Amino acid sequence: MSRTRELSVDPVTSSDAARAQDETRRARLRSGKVTDFAIQASVLISIGLIWEIASRGGFVHPFLLPPLSEALMRLVSNAITGTLFIDLGLTLYRAVTGFAISAAIAVPLGVLMARSAPVRWFFDPLVSIGFPMPKIAFLPIFILWLDIYDTAKITMVAFSCFFVIVSASYAGTLAVDRWQVWSARSFGASERQVLTEIVLPMALPQILTGFQIALPVAMITTIVTEMLMGGRGIGGAMITAGRFADSVGVFSGIIAIALLGFAVIRTLEMIRRRILVWHAEARS
Amino acid sequence: MSIATPFRYAPLLILFLAWEAATTFGLISTQMLPHLTTVIATWWELMAGGELPSQAYRSLSRSFAGLGAAVFFGILIGVTMAGSRAFRLVANPIVQAFYPMPKSALIPVVMIWFGLGDMSKISLIFLGCMLPVVISSYNGARGVNPFFIWSAKSLGASNAAVAVQVVLPGAMPEILNGVRTALAFSFILMVSSELVIARDGLGYLISTFGESGSYPAMFAVILTVAALGFIADRTYSAFMRYVLRWRES
């Protein structure tokens, strides 16, 4: 009889587990994490309410600050007619294409700069001068050289992202642990194997950080070039709304851009976690 | 500036020589890329005529006004956020909401609010540059060693004294880095806003020259703007090193 009691599921242990779960839940409430979130959410909600009341109540002229509800309704109606998705899609297409072209050139260049002294000598001053420059100033030159449509926009985006990605790839490759490289070589790895299986994976976290900075830069640049050149795309739509004094359109555009930016940043974080799942930083 | 500096920047010289060679030998038409010598001559004309300096003064005074206000209020808000949980809970969601939004998206908004004049650009630069300063001040102030704060308090320092004499110097490296980012943003926002909505300033010069087909002048102003951004960053880095000279690192 005592043997069967030992083999069966012990009711005492299972209620221990339930008690432990209760403790964690209560501890979380005590540490204030839930209340923190609730307070911060309510701050955003109250700002939304203040906006709505200020605008509808006439405290701020409804032209300068149209009611939040109207901006949201315009957003929804644009979504229904599809113009919102056309505009956001166009902007995203230009940003991602420019970013991809830039990355395809900048990552190999950064890695090469870290491994070859002559390449580094030639490009280092160009990169360090180009970094703090307001690269948007070069847009009129690109318009002159290319065209007034997408080519100039995408080239401008690629130019803007280029320096960030080169710096990040350069720094990441430079920081690769020499011991790992020597260890691989002592096992007989060829230079190519060292590059593809040691150097590039170890440089990947910093390269990805460079990407996480560069893609928002690409989006900002796309929006500004669209504002300058007009046409479609979320930037173009907003500046057209501005010129036609359509303030509801302007504010609904802002909300759309904020949502797009939020989505892009979250997606990048998710992608980074997936790609770097093998890396030490995923464990911390 | 050491002996090595000309050697370090020699690739730039190579680039300029390539530019002049390409146009002189007809590889690129001068319609698209004016001679480097023509651009330099036009630049000199613009400087001597006073047009470039006066427009530069208008642009830079606006952006420094916006930047100065952004730095002052940004540090104030960031440090207060680190010190007071109540303030942080109110300010943090606003900061997080503005973070993913490209500040240049606000150009049409300030155009509606303030028209084409100075205020629109100053307010745009103010709003756009605040965020990096707030975030870096907050992180810097949070990272100050709590033992220093407790030491100061146990010696009888008031909260204000602690903030100014312990937290601020301790957070300084990160704050200065945030201001450097804000400086770069201020140039970008200055050029972007002036290309779109302006009556004067460097960006306005660029777009006017571009539209009227005076490409050498357009190139001259663009290169001036690029050089200004570069010089501002380098000067600020030197200033940063001077301010932080008391640190061991």
Side-chain angles (χ1 to χ4, degrees):
Chain A
M1 276 225 331
S2 54
R3 243 187 296 145
T4 41
R5 215 176 287 137
E6 277 163 9
L7 288 169
S8 67
V9 174
D10 199 327
V12 180
T13 5
S14 57
S15 75
D16 265 347
R19 233 181 295 137
Q21 268 192 350
D22 268 342
E23 295 269 342
T24 344
R25 214 178 299 135
R26 250 177 269 130
R28 240 183 260 135
L29 280 171
R30 245 180 282 129
S31 80
K33 280 210 166 77
V34 177
T35 37
D36 268 6
F37 179 74
I39 295 181
Q40 296 188 54
S42 56
V43 167
L44 282 180
I45 296 177
S46 21
I47 290 183
L49 284 174
I50 295 177
W51 176 349
E52 186 72 11
I53 296 174
S55 177
R56 285 218 188 268
F59 298 110
V60 182
H61 196 290
F63 172 69
L64 295 178
L65 191 70
L68 177 59
S69 50
E70 273 192 37
L72 288 174
M73 279 194 308
R74 172 72 69 88
L75 199 62
V76 171
S77 81
N78 277 341
I80 293 178
T81 56
T83 40
L84 179 69
F85 296 115
I86 296 180
D87 284 333
L88 284 181
L90 213 49
T91 306
L92 206 56
Y93 155 73
R94 290 173 182 145
V96 172
T97 314
F99 166 80
I101 295 176
S102 183
I105 304 177
V107 172
L109 185 62
V111 174
L112 205 58
M113 271 174 73
R115 288 161 67 81
S116 148
V119 175
R120 179 166 57 243
W121 170 80
F122 186 74
F123 283 102
D124 182 59
L126 301 180
V127 172
S128 75
I129 289 189
F131 212 107
M133 264 178 5
K135 292 168 270 300
I136 193 79
F138 286 85
L139 180 62
I141 297 184
F142 289 127
I143 298 180
L144 178 62
W145 286 352
L146 300 166
D147 64 8
I148 57 171
Y149 301 111
D150 274 352
T151 322
K153 296 193 179 85
I154 295 180
T155 316
M156 184 75 239
V157 172
F159 184 60
S160 293
C161 297
F162 179 78
F163 298 92
V164 174
I165 302 181
V166 170
S167 297
S169 312
Y170 174 63
T173 316
L174 218 53
V176 167
D177 192 359
R178 282 174 308 170
W179 291 99
Q180 308 244 3
V181 175
W182 292 344
S183 171
R185 286 207 190 120
S186 74
F187 278 113
S190 70
E191 276 312 299
R192 223 182 94 84
Q193 280 172 317
V194 169
L195 180 67
T196 52
E197 300 201 27
I198 308 285
V199 173
L200 286 182
M202 296 234 60
L204 204 53
Q206 249 175 307
I207 297 181
L208 286 184
T209 307
F211 284 179
Q212 281 179 290
I213 301 178
L215 197 48
V217 168
M219 284 191 49
I220 296 178
T221 314
T222 314
I223 292 176
V224 176
T225 47
E226 285 174 357
M227 285 185 188
L228 273 168
M229 295 169 62
R232 297 238 57 114
I234 200 79
M238 274 183 70
I239 202 70
T240 314
R243 294 214 171 101
F244 281 94
D246 172 18
S247 57
V248 178
V250 170
F251 277 89
S252 74
I254 290 192
I255 299 178
I257 292 180
L259 292 174
L260 183 66
F262 182 75
V264 165
I265 291 186
R266 277 286 187 264
T267 313
L268 282 178
E269 284 174 8
M270 236 175 48
I271 294 180
R272 186 195 180 99
R273 271 200 301 273
R274 288 298 316 275
I275 294 185
L276 290 184
V277 71
W278 52 268
H279 196 267
E281 69 173 49
R283 266 175 259 140
S284 60
Chain B
M1 287 250 259
S2 62
I3 297 285
T5 315
F7 184 67
R8 186 167 174 241
Y9 286 107
L12 271 185
L13 200 62
I14 298 179
L15 218 59
F16 286 142
L17 287 175
W19 176 346
E20 189 63 12
T23 43
T24 320
F25 293 123
L27 292 167
I28 304 183
S29 108
T30 43
Q31 277 288 73
M32 305 263 276
L33 185 68
H35 285 277
L36 179 57
T37 39
T38 323
V39 172
I40 295 179
T42 322
W43 180 83
W44 189 249
E45 268 175 37
L46 289 171
M47 283 296 282
E51 199 173 355
L52 200 51
S54 68
Q55 298 298 344
Y57 173 72
R58 299 220 41 66
S59 287
L60 290 176
S61 57
R62 285 196 288 253
S63 70
F64 282 137
L67 183 63
V71 168
F72 177 73
F73 285 106
I75 296 181
L76 203 59
I77 294 177
V79 174
T80 316
M81 268 173 77
S84 148
R85 177 161 174 254
F87 187 74
R88 180 175 69 248
L89 288 179
V90 171
N92 193 37
I94 305 179
V95 170
Q96 298 290 339
F98 271 94
Y99 182 72
M101 201 182 69
K103 314 305 169 297
S104 5
L106 294 172
I107 291 181
V109 178
V110 297
M111 181 169 96
I112 288 185
W113 285 348
F114 299 116
L116 301 179
D118 279 350
M119 206 51 210
S120 54
K121 284 157 228 56
I122 298 181
S123 52
L124 180 71
I125 294 175
F126 171 65
L127 288 174
C129 296
M130 272 241 297
L131 209 61
V133 181
V134 168
I135 292 180
S136 60
S137 312
Y138 174 60
N139 284 327
R142 261 198 321 174
V144 172
N145 193 339
F147 284 104
F148 293 156
I149 302 181
W150 295 338
S151 291
K153 286 216 172 121
S154 73
L155 289 169
S158 67
N159 269 338
V162 168
V164 172
Q165 295 191 18
V166 181
V167 176
L168 212 52
M172 212 30 105
E174 245 186 285
I175 295 181
L176 288 178
N177 261 317
V179 174
R180 187 178 182 191
T181 311
L183 183 64
F185 276 14
S186 76
F187 269 91
I188 297 174
L189 287 171
M190 170 188 97
V191 178
S192 321
S193 59
E194 285 180 4
L195 285 172
V196 182
I197 50 167
R199 289 190 294 239
D200 59 13
L202 291 170
Y204 174 73
L205 268 190
I206 295 177
S207 57
T208 333
F209 285 143
E211 277 159 27
S212 63
S214 335
Y215 298 130
M218 183 181 92
F219 272 86
V221 182
I222 289 179
L223 289 177
T224 314
V225 171
L228 283 175
F230 172 72
I231 293 174
D233 181 72
R234 282 288 189 266
T235 317
Y236 181 75
S237 299
F239 168 73
M240 231 170 83
R241 276 194 302 271
Y242 174 76
V243 170
L244 293 179
R245 68 193 183 287
W246 52 267
R247 286 178 73 85
E248 290 122 28
S249 50

